[in-house]
Every structure is written in structure tokens, then in C-alpha cells.
Amino acid sequence: RRKRDRLLHRLLQTGAIDSSTYHLALLEPVPTRVLAFPVLAPHLSRMLHQRHGSGSIRTTLKRDIQQHAELLVRQYSERLRNLGIHNSAALIVETRSGRIRAWVGSQDFFDRARHGQVDGVLAPRSSGSILKPHLYALAMDNGLLLPQTRLFDIPSAFGTFMPSNADEKFRGLVRADDALIHSLNIPAVRLLHEYGVVPFAHFLRQAGIQTLQREADDYGLSLILGGAEVRLYDLAVLYRGLGLGGRFAPLHVLAEDSTQHADGRQLISPGASWLTLNVLRKVVRPGPEQFWFRFDNARPLAWKTGTSYGHRDAWAVGVSPEWTVAVWVGNFSGSGNANLGGATGAGPLLFELFNSLPHAAGAEWFPRPERELVPVDLCPDSGYPAGPACPDPVPGSAPAWARPLPLCPFHKTLFVDKNSGEQVCSLCWKAGEYEARPFFVLPPQVLNYLRLSGSAPPAVPPHRASCPAKQGGSPLQITYPGPGSKIWLPREVTGTLQKLTLRAAHRQPGRRVFWYLDNRYLGSTTQEHIRAVALDEGRHELVLVDESGEQARRIFFIKRSEE
Ligand SMILES: [Zn+2]
Ligand SMILES: [Zn+2]
């Protein structure tokens, strides 16, 4: 201690440190022993030491891979330091065996000033968008979408929760694969609403996310936008699972148990996993124009980024048939940084690591699981299975065991007067002067955004005014709820709000009516136009469209109920 204090005094005298640093430093305890950690993988070594005591433990780490990964993480972190981003972590796993080959807990274990001893592989952090691919894959298995299926990207309120896209734009309609590639928030939240927060949280827990402490309802729909905390370790399990065809199994770090074969749980079908990997392969890589070094883009990688709320965390996780690489970049202190965009924050390090890994020829991409996929004829405009009114279908693939998607809900055959272009029906058409024409009929709000971008389909023409069916107003009427009505819903014994039964009437019996609630397609009715729906508190919009494009719209409110 005396030796240390003498040194500090000299530093003070020479002006190397100021007096407050001097006095603080005097109070620091003097280390009594040299830290006994080995140079490689200090975070993992510390954890194994705590768990298994001292002695020799053989791990699955590969010396050369670990060494090189530590170097790349440290160098990358040094480049980001000027931007105010201080910490990075990475985990490298063999996709097939699940053996961890590199465990880099931070940029430098001995960098005490920047919390280098925190293990970023095991630290729970907000997930950002990194869980979206798994929701899309599950949605494929549940007959909600295929990569080509058009989703609504319009202002959407769920109670008081109104998600927005990172660019604050609305696209009207967007392909599911594009929505995932560009990580759009609105389609993802709408999809989670449709799929269900409870089953999705259940999937995450089963797949290996160990940090979901709260009840699923507590996370709510923000679960898909980073409402939950996850660990880098668990994300490697989650993405490796896609690479294993939807099988989720623990990773191995101890040499002795890595020989045990863990089957894991099949939670997503091999077909849906493969389709999702092919979408993630198209995620735009951080290119030289965005960053200051080049990438070798020769080897395909299915990858995704995530940025947490307030730019506190940047994730990037990628999976190839050989390697699963997970990267986190941020500040252990929790401070946000505007430079932490997903693609620029963690993406470049992911590719530096991935491109540095050894690879065998012929293992570039996941083989198509032929028996797990079936051909489907898809409507080119909607990405749903083509119906009779759709244009020539395009070939697509669907998971073989998935619940089938409904037929294209947008294309409808309407009868049009050849001269006036007006819509006609059996009550008002003139023999030989009308023809059947297909129309792409969309809910009004979707149409509005497509008009803004100049991509709206041809408008549905109005019905002939002199038609007897038109006399007395629209043939399609919403009979309940009434305009602007405020409805109080009692609670079930389970605490959830009771369903509300919506009613409509059509003057022409047997007409098919398509239901949209808050711009979500509910399905269609033909005989009795009644639907019971679960509703949250707040404002709701019901839009009905019949086969001839006739519409009825109603706004109503669900009031806050007593507990
Ligand atoms: Zn269609
Ligand atoms: Zn008519």
C-alpha cells in the first residue's frame, strides 16, 4: 500500500492526476492477489469457476476461433468508442452440434472503466425487433400468411397502444416478407394481435428464452417490439432453432455434455422455418457505402437486427447451416446512443465474425425440405391462395402441415354495364350489355394509403342509380352497434371482457359480406350476418364490404369497465 500511495503522490506532483482523483485513489483497496483468470474467455471461465469450483474443465471453445473473435470484438469496440458506444459481446455456435466455439462477454474483461467484467452473453437486455422472424414463422404454420401475403400497414390502435414504423410511414399493403426484411412494426404488432400474445410468449419460453419473468398479458403487444428482455445466449438458441428446421435445443459449452445428443423441441415446422430463413437471407447487409470497411458477401446468411427502445441495444443474429453468430452492441451502463441503429450498430461486427469463420464447401445454404412443403397457387396481387376472381396465379410454397390460408379475400367478380361502366345486378342489367369483371376490393383506409403512393387498384364503380335494389339506401346495413354508440362490456369470471355480437343485414339474401374490424379481416358471412368478437377498450371501426363492393362503416366505443 505504501508503494502504491508513493506512486500516486508522485503522479499528483507531476500533474498526471488532479487532487480529487488522488484522494479517491487513496481510498481504493489495494488488490491482494493477481486475478487468476486465464487470458482466453475470461467471462466464461469466471462463470464455470463459480459453478464448478477450481480444477480443470474442458469446454467446447476452439482456441483459434475464440482468440480471433475476442480480437474482432475488441477492435470493433475501439472503433465505436468515439461514438460513445463502449460495450460489445458475441457468441459463436456450431449450428448442427450446438457447441459454443467462442464466448466473448465484453470488449475487454479488464476494462474496468467501461464495465468490461459484465458478461454481455448472459446480461438480459431489451429485445428490440429480434423476435419478429419467429412470429412470422409461427404465423405460417397457423395459416395466417405466407411470405407473399399482403399485410395491412395502416394506423392501428390496440386500446391505448398505437405502434408506429421506424420511418413513421404507412404503406397501406405490404408483403409479409418485405415487412420482415424492413422490420416494420405495425404489421408485426397486428400479426401478434392475431396470433396471440399468450401463445407467442409460451413459444418463446419453450424455445429457450429464460428471461420472460412476467405474465404474457403483462407484456402485451409490445412483446414483439422489445417489451421483454432477452439474453444473447438465448437468442443464439432461438436462431439456431430456425437453422435446425424449427427444433429448439440447448447449447453446449462443457466438452463432456456436448457428446450427448439433445433432440430439442420441434416448435415450428421445417417448412415454415425454411421459408423464414429464405426471407432473412434477403435482409440488406451493411454495405461499404454505409460503413468504412468492406464485406465479403459470398456466403449467404439468414440474419436480423434489432434495436431497443431509446437506442440502448443493437442486436444482430445470423444463422447459416454451419454457424450461428449472435452479437450485441451497446452500453452496459444502459445509456442510449443514436448511433445504435440495428444495421450499423451490430450488423458489421456480425459479418466480420461470420466471414472469419472456417467453412466447408457445399454447405452454403439450407437444403429445401421437399417433403415439408406443398405447392400452392397464389393470387399475384394478394399472396393468398387464388380464388375464382383472381388473375392468373403464381406458384408458391406452403408448409405441408400448416393450417391452410383462406382464399384471396380481395378479388371479387362484379357485373359492369359495358357502356356506362356502372355496376349492375340482375335487377338492373340490360341483356347483352353487361360483363363480369374482377375488382380488387380493399377496406377504405388501406385504399387511402395506396392512393397516396399511387399504387391503388382501379376503383370499384358505383352501382347503377336507377337500380331497384338501390332504392331506400344501401342494401348493406350495420344494425348493431349503432353509430357512435358507447358500449360497456361485462367481464367473464376469468377477468376478460365478454365478446360483443356485431350484426348486419343485407337486402339481397345469400350475399357474401366481408368483415373488417379495425382494418383486420375477420372473415365472411352469407346467411346470417352476425359475428361475436373480443374487443379492447377504446374506439373501434367496423367496415363491411359485400361482393359488389357495397360498403357500410360504423364507429363505436367500448367503455372502461369496472374491475
Ligand atoms: Zn386475388
Ligand atoms: Zn342493380
Side-chain angles (χ1 to χ4, degrees):
R1 173 178 283 270
R2 235 185 311 135
K3 193 173 153 197
R4 195 247 346 229
D5 292 353
R6 257 205 318 273
L7 172 69
L8 285 171
H9 190 67
R10 202 176 311 135
L11 286 171
L12 176 69
Q13 284 177 325
T14 57
I17 55 174
D18 61 22
S19 73
S20 69
T21 309
Y22 169 72
H23 289 291
L24 282 173
L26 283 179
L27 298 173
E28 283 271 306
V30 179
T32 51
R33 63 184 177 90
V34 177
L35 293 174
F37 298 122
V39 180
L40 276 182
H43 297 89
L44 175 64
S45 305
R46 177 185 56 186
M47 186 192 74
L48 293 177
H49 181 77
Q50 285 163 355
R51 276 196 195 165
H52 303 276
S54 49
S56 151
I57 300 168
R58 272 176 56 82
T59 72
T60 57
L61 299 189
K62 287 265 197 215
R63 174 175 291 277
D64 49 343
I65 295 178
Q66 174 73 30
Q67 244 164 0
H68 199 58
E70 285 186 11
L71 179 70
L72 288 175
V73 169
R74 189 163 59 244
Q75 288 176 343
Y76 188 78
S77 211
E78 277 161 16
R79 290 204 293 271
L80 292 189
R81 190 166 296 165
N82 291 335
L83 303 173
I85 303 165
H86 298 300
N87 302 112
S88 322
L91 192 68
I92 298 175
V93 181
E94 251 178 33
T95 300
R96 265 186 218 97
S97 69
R99 293 187 184 119
I100 295 173
R101 295 312 196 190
W103 180 306
V104 187
S106 76
Q107 72 290 345
D108 180 0
F109 186 85
F110 301 100
D111 183 357
R112 290 197 65 168
R114 295 179 189 83
H115 310 283
Q117 298 194 14
V118 174
D119 189 349
V121 171
L122 296 178
R125 310 284 306 195
S126 164
S127 69
S129 290
I130 204 78
L131 305 174
K132 281 177 186 166
H134 299 78
L135 175 62
Y136 279 77
L138 290 165
M140 284 188 218
D141 275 339
N142 280 270
L144 298 178
L145 56 80
L146 288 173
Q148 300 89 334
T149 304
R150 303 315 194 269
L151 305 177
F152 292 171
D153 181 22
I154 50 176
S156 308
F158 303 91
T160 55
F161 180 50
M162 269 199 83
S164 60
N165 294 323
D167 62 4
E168 305 281 335
K169 286 185 184 145
F170 305 101
R171 287 152 189 78
L173 277 187
V174 62
R175 279 172 61 118
D177 51 4
D178 287 335
L180 181 53
I181 288 169
H182 299 293
S183 204
L184 299 184
N185 291 335
I186 292 172
V189 171
R190 296 174 64 95
L191 190 58
L192 180 59
H193 187 251
E194 215 169 336
Y195 182 78
V197 177
V198 172
F200 187 59
H202 182 69
F203 158 80
L204 291 175
R205 288 198 181 99
Q206 292 239 301
I209 299 285
Q210 300 176 45
T211 45
L212 296 188
Q213 316 288 4
R214 296 185 274 146
E215 295 289 319
D217 280 340
D218 214 28
Y219 291 111
L221 294 171
S222 71
L223 177 60
I224 200 63
L225 302 184
E229 294 193 323
V230 295
R231 310 184 306 172
L232 196 62
Y233 185 96
D234 298 342
L235 289 180
V237 174
L238 225 59
Y239 276 71
R240 174 184 173 234
L242 285 179
L244 294 180
R247 213 156 38 74
F248 296 83
L251 308 178
H252 304 292
V253 75
L254 296 181
E256 58 202 39
D257 65 34
S258 72
T259 50
Q260 294 168 8
H261 185 64
D263 272 342
R265 290 184 166 126
Q266 187 81 45
L267 301 174
I268 296 175
S269 76
S273 300
W274 188 80
L275 291 171
T276 304
L277 289 167
N278 279 297
V279 175
L280 296 180
R281 184 180 168 165
K282 290 185 268 182
V283 174
V284 181
R285 298 182 179 212
E289 69 277 10
Q290 284 167 281
F291 232 65
W292 57 85
F293 44 87
R294 292 184 59 83
F295 295 99
D296 170 14
N297 287 353
R299 294 156 63 191
L301 182 69
W303 76 295
K304 176 85 183 74
T305 61
T307 311
S308 68
Y309 180 76
H311 291 89
R312 290 189 177 87
D313 310 87
W315 306 93
V317 190
V319 56
S320 79
E322 291 180 290
W323 297 106
T324 302
V325 182
V327 170
W328 172 86
V329 173
N331 287 317
F332 287 139
S333 65
S335 62
N337 190 303
N339 294 305
L340 278 175
T344 48
L349 179 54
L350 170 69
F351 281 94
E352 280 189 42
L353 290 166
F354 177 66
N355 289 332
S356 77
L357 291 167
H359 76 110
E364 272 77 20
W365 194 242
F366 302 94
R368 182 185 160 93
E370 290 297 345
R371 276 177 300 175
E372 300 288 343
L373 292 166
V374 290
V376 277
D377 286 335
L378 297 177
C379 168
D381 298 333
S382 74
Y384 284 92
C390 296
D392 284 346
V394 292
S397 297
W401 316 108
R403 195 179 294 175
L405 251 70
L407 292 185
C408 172
F410 306 124
H411 274 114
K412 298 182 175 80
T413 301
L414 307 179
F415 295 102
V416 176
D417 186 280
K418 283 189 210 168
N419 304 312
S420 68
E422 287 171 317
Q423 230 186 111
V424 290
C425 65
S426 60
L427 297 174
C428 65
W429 65 37
K430 295 182 188 120
E433 288 186 15
Y434 66 93
E435 60 186 7
R437 262 190 236 162
F439 284 90
F440 201 57
V441 182
L442 292 167
Q445 212 180 358
V446 174
L447 216 46
N448 286 345
Y449 284 100
L450 292 182
R451 280 198 197 104
L452 289 176
S453 63
S455 55
V460 175
H463 203 99
R464 175 168 283 166
S466 60
C467 175
K470 288 290 284 185
Q471 308 311 313
S474 167
L476 177 60
Q477 301 279 352
I478 294 170
T479 51
Y480 183 83
S485 52
K486 298 181 175 61
I487 299 158
W488 175 85
L489 289 180
R491 285 189 186 274
E492 307 273 12
V493 279
T494 56
T496 56
L497 291 178
Q498 281 185 14
K499 287 186 171 182
L500 183 69
T501 302
L502 310 172
R503 295 167 188 279
H506 202 294
R507 210 175 301 135
Q508 289 156 282
R511 294 305 290 265
R512 186 174 290 274
V513 173
F514 300 86
W515 295 63
Y516 297 90
L517 181 68
D518 301 324
N519 282 300
R520 193 158 45 89
Y521 178 57
L522 295 180
S524 65
T525 50
T526 43
Q527 301 302 325
E528 239 192 337
H529 302 297
I530 290 178
R531 265 198 108 87
V533 291
L535 292 160
D536 296 328
E537 286 165 23
R539 177 185 182 276
H540 296 281
E541 181 189 42
L542 176 66
V543 173
L544 303 186
V545 186
D546 77 1
E547 288 162 302
S548 52
E550 199 67 55
Q551 292 193 353
R553 181 169 170 271
R554 177 81 15 109
I555 306 281
F556 61 96
F557 301 85
I558 300 298
K559 288 201 292 186
R560 177 177 291 276
S561 61
E562 308 306 318
E563 291 300 322

